[in-house]
Amino acid sequence: MAQLVLGLGVSHTPQMSMPSDLWASYARHDRKNPNLIYRRKKWAYEDLVAARAGDGIAERINEETFSALHARAQTAVDSLAASLAEAAPDVVVIVGDDHHEIFAEDSMPTFAVYWGETVRAIPPEKFWFPEVATAAWALYGEQPETYPCHAPLGEHLIRGLNGSGFDVAQVRAQPEGQSIGHTVVLVRNRLMDREAEPLPMVPVLLNTYFEPNRPTPARCWELGKGLAAAIAAYPEELRVAVIASGGLSHFVVDEELDRAVLNAMKDRDEDAIAGFSGEDFVSGTSESMGWLAVGGACAKLDMEIVDYIPAYRTEAGTGCGMAMVRWS
């Protein structure tokens, strides 16, 4: 039977993989962001600066702090990569959001499992901000690459989840010319050995961003439990790692929410998870629901918070709550 041997959670913000001396330049774009959402309200940048003036953020907006936070992130990510290498799984199940890479307006499922034989990563020709180009090696790859997938496990997960009450969509092919998203690509480039062939994978994609059929946080936790049961029922010997990619809070950092999510998973506090509202998991912060799915899958393992880094980049509190977590 298959065995779930490791769980990991890693953020995939460009901020984590670009040089820290570009954080200030990258942050300038936040002043024009019309979707700065914090505590269930959409804010203009200057109003958010005023609202968070008492949060002690301003003194953290400097190159010395940026450099220290960036170094912490690299150390934590390297620790996760070492754990993945040590666990030596036969396949990785990567759980995270889709940014219109596989899903589209004509087909937007809440949950989907990709079970093609391979999946393609295709770097874009241009980037929405120049600073992002310096993180492209991690987010998109430096050249087109084809990743192997484990189609039999993917099919088994689809059948198992549908049999346990999750009407997951199945995806066997990518749209022509379309890359798989950085939810998957970052795992390959930051957690796997880039000099070796990619580990076989099964992408599990969630529609965390786009209304009206986003899942609830509690439903994502239950999906993870269903994934674990399906993995355990796979009829062949297989070592499986499950990895959450994305999150935590962004584009405005919410330390209180991030810590609540991390603590609820660590404590296996299903009452707390049931109390989370989808209204708090919006914009980039919605990617934290992928973590809840992996937390549910790994609920029988012990969770270690390798690091949590509230990576503020402006006085308004914009940035990303970067987290690196291990279940073993």
Side-chain angles (χ1 to χ4, degrees):
M1 307 294 281
Q3 181 183 7
L4 203 169
V5 297
L6 180 70
L8 299 175
V10 64
S11 298
H12 62 218
T13 172
Q15 196 172 339
M16 187 177 75
S17 298
M18 69 174 63
S20 63
D21 58 10
L22 291 180
W23 284 17
S25 173
Y26 186 46
R28 288 199 292 267
H29 305 293
D30 295 338
R31 292 168 170 80
K32 300 178 182 178
N33 187 343
N35 292 306
L36 296 178
I37 300 173
Y38 180 65
R39 302 288 170 86
R40 305 186 183 184
K41 178 180 175 181
K42 188 176 290 188
W43 297 80
Y45 177 83
E46 295 300 334
D47 292 339
L48 193 53
V49 171
R52 304 201 71 180
D55 291 351
I57 297 171
E59 55 263 34
R60 308 191 214 181
I61 309 304
N62 57 75
E63 177 55 36
E64 183 179 2
T65 300
F66 291 171
S67 179
L69 296 181
H70 184 269
R72 278 174 55 187
Q74 309 321 303
T75 298
V77 171
D78 289 347
S79 176
L80 299 189
S83 294
L84 185 63
E86 182 179 1
D90 300 304
V91 58
V92 293
V93 176
I94 302 174
V95 182
D97 61 304
D98 182 271
H99 307 80
H100 275 168
E101 293 96 3
I102 298 296
F103 300 168
E105 294 298 330
D106 59 358
S107 180
M108 186 73 68
T110 300
F111 303 126
V113 176
Y114 184 92
W115 66 298
E117 295 291 336
T118 60
V119 69
R120 299 184 308 278
I122 306 170
E125 295 181 359
K126 59 182 179 179
F127 302 93
W128 61 96
F129 298 132
E131 297 85 1
V132 174
T134 66
W137 66 274
L139 296 169
Y140 306 106
E142 296 175 308
Q143 58 189 10
E145 188 174 17
T146 298
Y147 305 158
C149 294
H150 199 292
L153 179 61
E155 179 182 3
H156 174 81
L157 295 181
I158 294 164
R159 293 183 184 277
L161 287 168
N162 274 272
S164 60
F166 290 90
D167 299 323
V168 297
Q170 56 153 317
V171 182
R172 293 206 73 180
Q174 295 167 262
E176 184 65 32
Q178 180 66 55
S179 177
I180 194 69
H182 58 268
T183 292
V184 172
V185 179
L186 180 125
V187 171
R188 190 279 181 269
N189 288 329
R190 299 264 2 210
L191 300 186
M192 299 182 191
D193 182 354
R194 296 174 69 207
E195 302 302 318
E197 288 297 309
L199 294 170
M201 60 184 65
V202 177
V204 177
L205 304 173
L206 283 58
N207 171 30
T208 70
Y209 272 91
F210 307 107
E211 297 288 2
N213 65 326
R214 299 189 315 124
T216 65
R219 186 66 169 162
C220 291
W221 176 265
E222 293 299 320
L223 175 76
K225 291 164 66 176
L227 274 173
I231 290 169
Y234 189 71
E236 299 177 16
E237 289 190 9
L238 202 65
R239 293 174 59 82
V240 181
V242 181
I243 303 176
S245 173
L248 296 178
S249 61
H250 63 291
F251 302 94
V252 181
V253 179
D254 188 337
E255 292 188 52
E256 181 179 341
L257 178 61
D258 290 344
R259 295 186 192 279
V261 170
L262 292 170
N263 290 335
M265 292 190 298
K266 193 173 192 300
D267 297 338
R268 305 174 182 89
D269 188 343
E270 296 194 342
D271 289 338
I273 292 166
F276 288 145
S277 170
E279 293 181 71
D280 294 314
F281 292 77
V282 296
S283 187
T285 304
S286 71
E287 295 174 358
S288 300
M289 290 196 283
W291 286 63
L292 288 170
V294 171
C298 297
K300 295 182 180 180
L301 303 178
D302 292 325
M303 176 179 151
E304 173 193 0
I305 300 172
V306 178
D307 208 345
Y308 169 67
I309 304 168
Y312 296 104
R313 57 183 184 241
T314 72
E315 294 85 348
T318 61
C320 183
M322 299 189 290
M324 300 81 186
V325 162
R326 175 168 45 235
W327 287 267
S328 59

